[in-house]
Amino acid sequence: MFAEDLHHINKSGIHLTLHKVHGPCSPLSASQPLINILNHDEQRVRTLNSRLIKSTITTTSSSKSQKSVPRLKPKSINIPLKPGSALNTGNYYINMGLGTPSKSYPMIVDTGSSLTWLQCQPCQVYCHSQLGPIFAPTASGTYKPVTCSAAECTGLEAATLNPSACSKKNVCIYQASYGDSSYSIGYLSSDVLSLGPSENLNGFVYGCGQDNDGLFGKAAGLIGLSRNKLSMLTQVSSKYGNVFSYCLPTSASTGTLSIGKTSYDPTNYKFTPMLTDPRDSTLYFLRLTAITVSGYPIAVAADKYQTSTIIDSGTVITRLPASIYAALKVAFAKGMSKYPTAPAFSILDTCFKASSAGIVVPPVSVVFSGGADMKLSAQNVVIEVETGTTCLAFAGNDDDTGVAIIGNLQQETFKVAYDVTNSKIGFAAGGCT
């Protein structure tokens, strides 16, 4: 089942392929209009802002981090990460094995979510159309429902922001809801997780969805990689370590999701501190300190960068506080003066009459505290929204109080490392071109 997606297994772990859901070779979707993706993106951003707009950011204590995570093991796993085009979403997916015997399911990867879930037979209420068969708990010799008194059931509210419920048969019921009105409701369960031919985790806790609807495309479900006890990262950390890295692929490339202490080479990365927000300690925060265009900092006061900033695999377009975006827009438009302007497209309001294939854009860099930066290529800066119309792939919040979010379009082809153990996030260029 892993023949096509398994890169290799060695002492550094398993490296699995990461795919973009909207890649031309992705089997998970029909064509999804960009306007739908952007509308979905805006709803996700509004939800994140509503949760975090009043938050205060503090650096994670390294001593607390060391106490709260298991000892790192000398292994890691590397999983193929794929564009989400085939799944009809704007995100990325891997193939995850579950059950005994193990069967493979295409799962969206989300650093902003905690609970992993997938659609399960008999779909008591509703299951959306997915690629491949729906998981059948009765066909797995190792499937177990989680009882209402279990610690995992008690911890559901912290993972999903929704309280748990209890069935008449004493099975824990979860509800995972998202900002775009997508949701999954079902039974909290455990089974054997397979990330490679010999890489299994017994007792993996996940949601077995009986009522699932929304913008999941043809994915079987979603993998949570946030900082929460129920996330896949934390559950596998006792074996591999509380570290992961990825390279988000473009529609024309293939990426990798790697989990484990040796999942990345730190000598190739520039690091910035990983921060924690007291209102939602599960998300990954960092400090944005500057944006440059053509090598010059945009004209905005330094204190405007003090806003909360998230790096997120599930948000497509980077969002900036209103003042920072306004300054970026002016500087970028100046560098694009040879191109006629074009009308706004959805949330993208800095557009030009040009094809993305031949357009020449001014260099843009995003800089973080500690000196880490992302020197963006043209494909990270602009997006062709219609034939002959290309827009700056950043958007502004309504004001300066909203949360800044580093979206996945800007992350594409970069290697990004999340070292939870040492509270740092690293960036390296040229990861999966």
Side-chain angles (χ1 to χ4, degrees):
M1 86 186 201
F2 292 99
E4 295 180 356
D5 281 344
L6 188 61
H7 283 185
H8 60 274
I9 304 175
N10 54 30
K11 66 180 181 180
S12 71
I14 303 170
H15 302 270
L16 298 183
T17 303
L18 184 64
H19 303 269
K20 188 170 184 177
V21 173
H22 286 289
C25 299
S26 175
L28 298 183
S29 75
S31 178
Q32 173 79 297
L34 178 60
I35 191 72
N36 290 359
I37 295 174
L38 294 178
N39 288 341
H40 169 220
D41 205 44
E42 182 66 6
Q43 291 169 336
R44 179 184 178 96
V45 168
R46 287 178 180 175
T47 298
L48 289 171
N49 270 278
S50 69
R51 289 163 53 184
L52 300 165
I53 193 169
K54 296 181 180 179
S55 299
T56 301
I57 304 299
T58 56
T59 304
T60 301
S61 167
S62 58
S63 60
K64 289 183 180 180
S65 177
Q66 293 292 344
K67 291 178 181 178
S68 63
V69 297
R71 182 175 64 87
L72 291 177
K73 307 294 182 180
K75 292 185 73 175
S76 66
I77 52 177
N78 300 291
I79 307 163
L81 189 61
K82 308 179 183 183
S85 315
L87 293 175
N88 206 20
T89 82
N91 301 312
Y92 309 82
Y93 73 97
I94 65 169
N95 287 317
M96 181 190 82
L98 189 69
T100 304
S102 182
K103 294 185 179 180
S104 183
Y105 302 91
M107 303 281 288
I108 294 171
V109 172
D110 187 6
T111 59
S113 296
S114 297
L115 181 68
T116 296
W117 63 266
L118 81 168
Q119 301 195 116
C120 289
Q121 295 184 17
C123 297
Q124 292 179 356
V125 180
Y126 179 77
C127 285
H128 61 261
S129 175
Q130 73 172 59
L131 182 71
I134 293 174
F135 178 69
T138 57
S140 173
T142 47
Y143 172 84
K144 294 179 181 179
V146 174
T147 64
C148 300
S149 60
E152 293 85 356
C153 187
T154 305
L156 265 178
E157 187 164 6
T160 65
L161 304 181
N162 294 306
S164 61
C166 194
S167 75
K168 293 181 180 179
K169 296 183 178 181
N170 193 36
V171 177
C172 183
I173 298 174
Y174 76 91
Q175 178 180 346
S177 54
Y178 305 92
D180 58 5
S181 299
S182 300
Y183 64 86
S184 174
I185 303 171
Y187 301 116
L188 197 64
S189 309
S190 73
D191 211 328
V192 176
L193 171 71
S194 300
L195 295 175
S198 59
E199 299 295 328
N200 300 322
L201 180 71
N202 297 328
F204 176 69
V205 177
Y206 65 97
C208 204
Q210 298 296 323
D211 184 9
N212 322 280
D213 198 10
L215 298 175
F216 304 116
K218 294 182 180 179
L222 182 146
I223 289 176
L225 285 177
S226 71
R227 292 183 283 179
N228 177 272
K229 290 186 293 184
L230 288 180
S231 77
M232 188 176 84
L233 173 65
T234 303
Q235 291 192 61
V236 303
S237 65
S238 61
K239 187 174 184 178
Y240 302 110
N242 216 355
V243 180
F244 73 97
S245 65
Y246 58 58
C247 184
L248 301 182
T250 66
S251 298
S253 63
T254 306
T256 302
L257 171 66
S258 303
I259 301 176
K261 179 182 178 181
T262 56
S263 64
Y264 72 100
D265 180 358
T267 61
N268 296 327
Y269 288 74
K270 294 181 179 179
F271 290 95
T272 187
M274 180 184 293
L275 307 179
T276 296
D277 187 307
R279 284 191 61 189
D280 193 333
S281 60
T282 68
L283 299 174
Y284 296 100
F285 289 83
L286 67 176
R287 178 68 68 200
L288 178 65
T289 59
I291 296 177
T292 67
V293 177
S294 299
Y296 296 96
I298 59 174
V300 65
D303 62 359
K304 298 299 182 182
Y305 288 106
Q306 296 303 308
T307 187
S308 304
T309 302
I310 302 167
I311 182 168
D312 182 34
S313 70
T315 299
V316 179
I317 301 295
T318 289
R319 299 309 201 280
L320 298 171
S323 295
I324 297 177
Y325 177 70
L328 172 62
K329 177 178 176 179
V330 170
F332 186 77
K334 183 178 179 180
M336 297 287 289
S337 58
K338 69 178 180 179
Y339 297 102
T341 58
F345 183 91
S346 181
I347 59 173
L348 307 178
D349 64 4
T350 307
C351 302
F352 305 89
K353 296 178 180 178
S355 169
S356 62
I359 198 170
V360 178
V361 303
V364 176
S365 292
V366 179
V367 185
F368 305 100
S369 62
D373 63 0
M374 301 172 72
K375 294 180 173 64
L376 305 179
S377 65
Q379 67 185 9
N380 304 118
V381 176
V382 295
I383 182 171
E384 188 164 5
V385 297
E386 295 174 330
T387 302
T389 299
T390 298
C391 299
L392 175 64
F394 290 74
N397 291 332
D398 292 338
D399 53 36
D400 287 343
T401 63
V403 180
I405 304 173
I406 307 301
N408 61 43
L409 183 64
Q410 281 63 48
Q411 297 177 56
E412 283 188 353
T413 74
F414 283 86
K415 293 179 181 178
V416 184
Y418 296 73
D419 190 336
V420 179
T421 301
N422 295 302
S423 300
K424 60 183 182 179
I425 298 172
F427 300 91
C432 48
T433 56

